[in-house]
Amino acid sequence: MSNTDKPGTGWVDVPGTRAVRLYSLIMKPSVSCSNSYVLDAAGAILIIDPGTSDVNTNTIINLVDDLKKQRKRPVYILLTHGHIDHYLKTPELQRRFQAQLVCHEACADIIVRRDRNASIASHFAVEAPDCGSVARLDSPSFSLGGGDELKIYHTPGHTDGCVCFHVGCFFFTGDLLFAANPGVAGVPGWNRKALLRSVDALLESAERHGGVDRVFPGHGNPISGDDAVKLLHRARKQASVLPDAIPMDKRRVDDLSAYAMLLLAQAAKCFAI
């Protein structure tokens, strides 16, 4: 499972925080590897969705090595959900940094069981890795030290264990924005009614609170908060008219992966930075 990576974007300060920086590793549009993100905070280093890329993994190792030389802090690996394209490289980072893997309980169960179907590892003809112990997210927030925190939203629909992360004015959505698209709807764990509830909750939160400048998806380029709201409305419209989706098996993945990659490429053009 490999793909051509775009260069990292470099460190940027996260607006709305005291001292959090973000390094984004944005993949060429791909259904086989997610984007990855590294957060540098006063009390912790966070890696969101390690993905499957050797190149990205080496970049993450170099980044975290440098950060730990500057100041020793615990390293945490956070997953938006338990699909293999988001976490295959986790064990390598765990061993390197004694990093704690943290995710939603439903996601953790898939990873601990090494469930090749629920993780869609079987669709990509790879084995689900042994990630050892997994900590369950049991709080709506995660302390980053220095007065900063990461807020956690349970957003089932793409899978039961999907979560989104909110830090400062940045929001990390995993695969939620595209969960109703052809080629994505119907993957193991997909639930139309849960997806509608999750989308409605995020739209309500955006309307009441705002405060999101930039949204970082699991695949494709980061987009503005306004564009993310448009995609959420589109996802809601798509999901509301979908029947119970046909289960996504390997044959369907093979048939639709080219379509999904074209869709991601088009989205990258429409919502380029």
Side-chain angles (χ1 to χ4, degrees):
M1 298 175 68
S2 62
N3 196 38
T4 302
D5 302 89
K6 296 180 180 179
T9 59
W11 289 108
V12 297
D13 294 331
V14 178
T17 67
R18 290 177 171 84
V20 180
R21 299 189 302 160
L22 169 68
Y23 195 102
S24 302
L25 296 109
I26 307 300
M27 295 294 298
K28 177 181 177 181
S30 169
V31 296
S32 63
C33 183
S34 71
N35 297 332
S36 299
Y37 303 99
V38 180
L39 288 170
D40 169 29
I45 300 166
L46 272 57
I47 302 165
I48 298 176
D49 288 348
T52 67
S53 164
D54 291 330
V55 174
N56 277 4
T57 300
N58 289 334
T59 300
I60 291 170
I61 288 172
N62 291 333
L63 291 171
V64 176
D65 276 341
D66 288 343
L67 292 174
K68 287 179 71 68
K69 288 176 183 176
Q70 297 169 22
R71 186 170 66 259
K72 292 188 181 299
R73 286 157 288 168
V75 178
Y76 298 95
I77 299 170
L78 273 61
L79 301 183
T80 57
H81 61 290
H83 282 162
I84 197 70
D85 54 312
H86 290 252
Y87 81 92
L88 182 67
K89 289 295 184 177
T90 293
E92 189 171 341
L93 297 171
Q94 286 175 305
R95 291 190 297 269
R96 176 82 177 201
F97 301 113
Q98 293 75 54
Q100 175 67 68
L101 175 59
V102 187
C103 58
H104 186 271
E105 181 176 5
C107 174
D109 290 344
I110 291 170
I111 291 171
V112 170
R113 294 198 313 268
R114 301 179 68 180
D115 189 323
R116 295 186 74 238
N117 179 59
S119 69
I120 66 172
S122 59
H123 299 358
F124 297 106
V126 298
E127 295 299 321
D130 182 358
C131 296
S133 63
V134 184
R136 274 70 168 171
L137 289 168
D138 56 5
S139 172
S141 63
F142 189 99
S143 176
L144 301 177
D148 289 314
E149 69 174 7
L150 183 85
K151 296 179 181 177
I152 301 159
Y153 299 89
H154 182 211
T155 52
H158 180 58
T159 72
D160 290 340
C162 280
V163 294
C164 294
F165 302 118
H166 185 190
V167 56
C169 297
F170 286 174
F171 206 85
F172 301 85
T173 56
D175 290 353
L176 179 68
L177 296 178
F178 305 103
N181 283 353
V184 181
V187 295
W190 193 87
N191 184 298
R192 184 179 69 88
K193 292 180 180 178
L195 177 60
L196 287 170
R197 289 193 295 269
S198 295
V199 168
D200 285 344
L202 289 183
L203 285 171
E204 181 182 358
S205 178
E207 182 177 342
R208 293 173 60 183
H209 305 296
V212 173
D213 292 342
R214 207 103 191 116
V215 173
F216 298 83
H219 302 268
N221 285 331
I223 59 176
S224 70
D226 289 342
D227 283 337
V229 168
K230 293 176 184 177
L231 287 178
L232 284 171
H233 279 294
R234 188 180 74 175
R236 198 197 189 289
K237 182 177 181 180
Q238 289 174 314
S240 65
V241 298
L242 282 173
D244 290 335
I246 301 171
M248 184 78 74
D249 55 20
K250 188 177 187 305
R251 180 177 179 180
R252 190 170 175 228
V253 168
D254 291 342
D255 289 344
L256 293 174
S257 61
Y259 175 85
M261 290 181 70
L262 287 172
L263 187 66
L264 285 166
Q266 186 63 39
K269 292 179 182 178
C270 292
F271 301 108
I273 296 175

